[in-house]
Amino acid sequence: LSVFFHFQNMHQEDFRNATEGTRNSSDSSSAFVHSSTMSAILVTVYSVAFAGGGIGSITMSFVLLKMSTLSVTTTAIINLVVVHSLLLFTVPFRLHYYVKKKWVFDMSFCKMVSAMVHIHMYLTFVFYVITLVIRWLIFFRRKDKVEFYRKLHAIAASAAVWVFVMVFGVPLFYFEYGRSGLYNSTTCFKFHKELQHRSVKALNYTLIVTVALISCVLLGLQILILVKVARKFSTSLCSHQEFWAQIKNLIFIWVIIIWFLPYHLFRAYYIQHVSDIDQLESYNEVFLSLTALSCLDLLSFMLSGS
């Protein structure tokens, strides 16, 4: 009889452990907020960005190696290759998470992977603006290109931007990002609780307004330049190189408007209603993933002969 009760207790304990394991597994899967459709969209977008961005970065690297001089525009493109490469390094880890629905790496690494999308977006935006301003200076000064007097100047200018990011941007993301709330160790890219702080909201709103205003100014100036060129070469507009050079400038502006601006406009709505609608978190991730498609810009430059 004692043997019978012993086996019965063992059976009950095994059943309890199995039930707890199932519950823990269920809790772990429920912590993954994205539906199958959203996961498929995220996997598709990041896969396209990884493939196209990788091809564009490698191809552009070979082209840049053949250049003997460093113009300001060329220096900006080199920095774009570096920025895109850093993002592309983290993309496989994102894809693994969206497919497996579970984060198996360290949480500090999750923060880095999560922050890299934002760092990539704003650094790309900065280099776009620098490139456009330089190309407009070339247009108004009637020069073929603006070159650094020494390669050291190009390195120093690029280093200044990167030092600013490393000193102010990276520590801010690493030490403050995901610090406020308790997050499940098996989930990643889910740091919405930070938005409860006024300082974080204020920073987000500042970035939204800044990106939106600069985007409108860039588009407005480019349209004015195109109108000026059209008036000057009205009889044979399409045969002039200057016209097509300004058309190519639109590549930078369209990338900003199509891939960056929608995320920021939606972000304003997301900040206000993140606690009210659960599905908004998935929508925010999808809009954020679209910013990674800016990695295709180098491939578009190559295909368009820019």
Side-chain angles (χ1 to χ4, degrees):
L1 185 61
S2 61
V3 172
F4 172 76
F5 280 114
H6 175 69
F7 277 107
Q8 186 179 24
N9 290 333
M10 289 180 60
H11 175 73
Q12 290 176 347
E13 185 176 354
D14 292 339
F15 178 77
R16 190 183 305 111
N17 291 335
T19 303
E20 290 178 355
T22 304
R23 188 184 301 114
N24 292 335
S25 176
S26 176
D27 292 341
S28 175
S29 62
S30 64
F32 186 82
V33 298
H34 307 302
S35 63
S36 299
T37 302
M38 289 297 179
S39 297
I41 293 173
L42 290 168
V43 169
T44 302
V45 172
Y46 279 112
S47 296
V48 172
F50 184 74
I55 295 172
S57 297
I58 293 172
T59 307
M60 184 63 77
S61 297
F62 283 111
V63 173
L64 293 171
L65 287 174
K66 297 179 181 178
M67 293 186 175
S68 58
T69 59
L70 275 180
S71 68
V72 177
T73 305
T74 304
T75 304
I77 298 300
I78 292 174
N79 282 282
L80 279 177
V81 173
V82 176
V83 172
H84 292 340
S85 299
L86 289 175
L87 173 68
L88 294 176
F89 170 78
T90 65
V91 167
F93 300 100
R94 279 186 170 270
L95 292 175
H96 181 274
Y97 174 65
Y98 293 136
V99 172
K100 297 296 184 180
K101 298 180 171 54
K102 184 179 180 181
W103 184 256
V104 298
F105 307 101
D106 188 72
M107 183 53 63
S108 60
F109 186 64
C110 164
K111 288 184 181 182
M112 189 200 78
V113 174
S114 182
M116 186 53 64
V117 178
H118 299 276
I119 294 173
H120 167 266
M121 174 172 52
Y122 291 115
L123 270 179
T124 302
F125 181 79
V126 168
F127 288 123
Y128 278 1
V129 173
I130 293 173
T131 304
L132 285 169
V133 170
I134 295 302
R135 288 173 70 89
W136 289 339
L137 287 175
I138 294 172
F139 170 77
F140 287 113
R141 291 183 178 183
R142 300 299 177 188
K143 292 184 178 181
D144 293 333
K145 57 184 175 180
V146 178
E147 293 184 4
F148 287 104
Y149 292 108
R150 295 180 181 178
K151 288 187 177 181
L152 182 61
H153 295 166
I155 296 173
S158 301
V161 177
W162 285 100
V163 167
F164 179 84
V165 173
M166 297 300 294
V167 171
F168 295 100
V170 174
L172 179 65
F173 271 107
Y174 186 81
F175 293 108
E176 300 296 330
Y177 197 52
R179 190 189 67 170
S180 301
L182 295 175
Y183 298 100
N184 194 318
S185 61
T186 61
T187 61
C188 193
F189 321 127
K190 188 180 178 183
F191 302 111
H192 59 280
K193 295 178 183 178
E194 311 300 318
L195 295 174
Q196 297 174 357
H197 299 278
R198 291 184 178 180
S199 59
V200 177
K201 281 188 176 182
L203 177 61
N204 275 267
Y205 284 131
T206 301
L207 290 172
I208 291 168
V209 172
T210 301
V211 171
L213 286 178
I214 293 178
S215 301
C216 293
V217 170
L218 293 177
L219 181 59
L221 286 174
Q222 188 60 58
I223 291 174
L224 289 176
I225 292 175
L226 284 172
V227 170
K228 184 177 181 179
V229 173
R231 289 178 178 176
K232 184 177 180 180
F233 307 109
S234 57
T235 55
S236 55
L237 184 62
C238 294
S239 61
H240 283 273
Q241 184 179 358
E242 185 60 52
F243 171 73
W244 292 109
Q246 296 303 323
I247 289 294
K248 289 175 181 178
N249 284 349
L250 288 174
I251 295 177
F252 294 99
I253 299 175
W254 283 127
V255 169
I256 293 174
I257 292 175
I258 295 174
W259 303 131
F260 292 168
L261 199 55
Y263 166 73
H264 285 84
L265 296 179
F266 176 79
R267 185 76 173 174
Y269 179 82
Y270 171 73
I271 293 172
Q272 291 295 324
H273 301 87
V274 61
S275 301
D276 304 332
I277 308 173
D278 294 335
Q279 199 64 20
L280 278 184
E281 193 172 339
S282 293
Y283 294 150
N284 182 70
E285 278 295 313
V286 170
F287 276 102
L288 182 62
S289 69
L290 294 179
T291 66
L293 292 177
S294 61
C295 290
L296 302 178
D297 57 358
L298 299 178
L299 187 61
S300 67
F301 297 155
M302 300 298 300
L303 294 177
S304 64
S306 301

